[in-house]
Amino acid sequence: GGPSLSELASLEPLPHARVELRHAAAEPDRLYGAGLEAYREGDWKQATTEFEAALALAQNDWTRRAQAQLYRGSAMLLDGRVDEAVPVLEQAGEARLAPVRERARWHLAQAHLLLDDAGGAERALQELAASPVFGERARGLLERLQAQR
């Protein structure tokens, strides 16, 4: 047997831009900004709390919903709450915005590796195989996974 699946996982925080909020920003946007601030500082628990609060208050058509789900799932994953992160990342992986969708699926693949779930990791990676951003890494990781079978 080669390395365990969890040794194939690579966890890195998402890129994050500062969010400039207008003085009268709506509460979900303010909470989202606070979540990003905590995320940037590596305070995964606080970030998760802020993103969850933003999502709870936001309307269904909130423009940052998919990003908030992605960062929430990533923060949970980085905090070691892998099982809880999976459904959150799955939801973010259905986003219309390709950058959000692909980042969510990459993090989802890492979560499945950490959970020793080769099938789940392969599904997430296959969805990324054609990605201009993650394709090369996804195909490389798929090869390593299949070589362990």
Side-chain angles (χ1 to χ4, degrees):
S4 75
L5 293 185
S6 63
E7 289 170 33
L8 295 177
S10 72
L11 288 187
E12 62 253 3
L14 293 160
H16 40 269
R18 233 170 242 291
V19 177
E20 294 302 321
L21 296 174
R22 293 181 309 286
H23 182 64
E27 189 65 1
D29 291 312
R30 196 191 62 69
L31 290 162
Y32 177 80
L36 279 185
E37 196 63 39
Y39 189 94
R40 191 170 21 256
E41 291 166 6
D43 187 344
W44 314 126
K45 281 181 179 40
Q46 186 62 35
T48 302
T49 300
E50 301 287 0
F51 291 127
E52 285 173 352
L55 287 158
L57 284 178
Q59 303 294 318
N60 282 337
D61 62 355
W62 183 43
T63 54
R64 300 187 201 267
R65 180 171 289 284
Q67 288 99 316
Q69 282 287 42
L70 170 61
Y71 279 103
R72 175 185 171 218
S74 172
M76 291 170 129
L77 190 57
L78 291 162
D79 194 31
R81 295 162 60 190
V82 184
D83 280 318
E84 292 172 77
V86 167
V88 177
L89 291 167
E90 281 174 345
Q91 198 174 351
E94 300 300 317
R96 283 196 305 275
L97 291 167
V100 173
R101 183 174 63 242
E102 292 184 358
R103 285 182 178 134
R105 287 178 178 170
W106 176 257
H107 273 65
L108 184 59
Q110 309 314 308
H112 283 300
L113 289 172
L114 291 171
L115 294 170
D116 221 32
D117 173 11
E122 282 182 9
R123 280 192 303 280
L125 291 167
Q126 280 160 351
E127 290 173 344
L128 289 169
S131 160
V133 179
F134 290 98
E136 199 174 318
R137 288 167 79 190
R139 290 189 301 272
L141 197 46
L142 269 170
E143 281 172 25
R144 291 175 66 191
L145 258 178
Q146 286 154 356
Q148 287 194 21
R149 291 264 160 116

